[in-house]
Amino acid sequence: MAGVDRDRPPEVVRREPTDMTGDADGGDADELVEVIRATGHENVTGEHASTLEVTSDDWLTPAGDCILAVEADRVPADFDEEFVAACQSREATITLTVEAGGHTERVEGRGHPDFSFENERSLVCRTSDYVDDRTVMVDADGAAADVDRDLVAALAGGADATVRLRVE
């Protein structure tokens, strides 16, 4: 397993406009992005029907069927205050993108005023409107069970993953 470089400084990206229209590769200058590096694990199955999780734990049991990646180098408690504040709006659109092994999956949901971003172990995207200290997205349009099976296979093979959370 390749592992994650925990000595690398965290990435918080504010996209800047590249032309007079404000577009930057289809993005908006008001987007805030958090980037997380993690890795897959042999017990990744991606079978949970209502949640998707990324954890900083370095282990995963077969019961963790919502977890797509382990050894995350960042957790909600590490996120930039401006990013957190933007996510605490019900009008916020939050997009999670997971890239690993040449495969990409996107899940989109919304923000919630009760998000605390205090968890120091994991982040969870939920298809429901349930909120706890791990929740970073509610009303998600997909969960672990909806993730492309080739991406799940790459993660089960231990592929390194890049996870991006974008809020607009």
Side-chain angles (χ1 to χ4, degrees), residues 34-111:
E34 293 282 351
V35 179
I36 302 146
R37 306 258 189 285
T39 190
H41 187 280
E42 64 185 325
N43 287 330
V44 169
T45 60
E47 295 177 345
H48 203 277
S50 63
T51 62
L52 180 158
E53 181 173 345
V54 175
T55 182
S56 63
D57 293 341
D58 62 359
W59 52 271
L60 175 60
T61 69
D65 62 351
C66 65
I67 298 174
L68 292 184
V70 299
E71 296 187 60
D73 65 349
R74 307 198 53 239
V75 293
D78 299 324
F79 294 171
D80 182 78
E81 290 178 24
E82 188 177 2
F83 179 87
V84 171
C87 290
Q88 290 172 325
S89 167
R90 288 187 193 275
E91 287 76 43
T93 299
I94 302 171
T95 305
L96 176 111
T97 305
V98 179
E99 299 173 354
H103 306 281
T104 303
E105 184 74 33
R106 293 181 59 162
V107 175
E108 187 173 284
R110 66 175 182 84

Side-chain angles (χ1 to χ4, degrees), residues 121-134:
R121 284 185 58 197
S122 63
L123 61 92
V124 178
C125 301
R126 302 179 187 281
T127 59
S128 71
D129 63 357
Y130 176 79
V131 174
D132 68 14
D133 69 332
R134 301 176 308 149

